Amino acid sequence: SAEALINRSKHILMLLPPAILAALCIPAIVFSRPLTDYQVEYFQLAAALVAILIARFSRSVFWPVVGGMLCLWLLRFISS
């Protein structure tokens, strides 16, 4: 029935925002340095953690990305 399809689709659609967030953030964190450089950039990891925390409590993809970027820019501004 249509109601069963809608109920099944709701669970699948709830997984979409974390998947989109991961697709946007993980490549930028993992592949931001040359492959021969194994140093960890702590500012990016901190910004990623902030984005994960915001994503945990937000139903939007927009706010975790904005929060993570603001955190990254703030940390870089403070350190310079």
Side-chain angles (χ1 to χ4, degrees), residues 1-78:
S1 78
E3 188 173 326
L5 179 64
I6 290 172
N7 288 334
R8 245 184 305 147
S9 299
K10 282 183 184 179
H11 177 70
I12 293 169
L13 290 175
M14 287 179 64
L15 299 175
L16 196 56
I20 292 171
L21 182 64
L24 289 173
C25 295
I26 291 175
I29 294 168
V30 174
F31 299 114
S32 66
R33 296 167 299 282
L35 292 177
T36 58
D37 188 9
Y38 293 109
Q39 293 181 345
V40 175
E41 190 169 335
Y42 294 107
F43 292 161
Q44 285 184 339
L45 290 177
L49 289 174
V50 167
I52 290 169
L53 286 173
I54 294 172
R56 174 66 180 99
F57 299 106
S58 173
R59 296 182 65 123
S60 171
V61 175
F62 177 75
W63 293 116
V65 172
V66 168
M69 287 305 299
L70 286 175
C71 176
L72 180 63
W73 292 335
L74 181 66
L75 289 173
R76 287 184 178 171
F77 177 75
I78 291 171

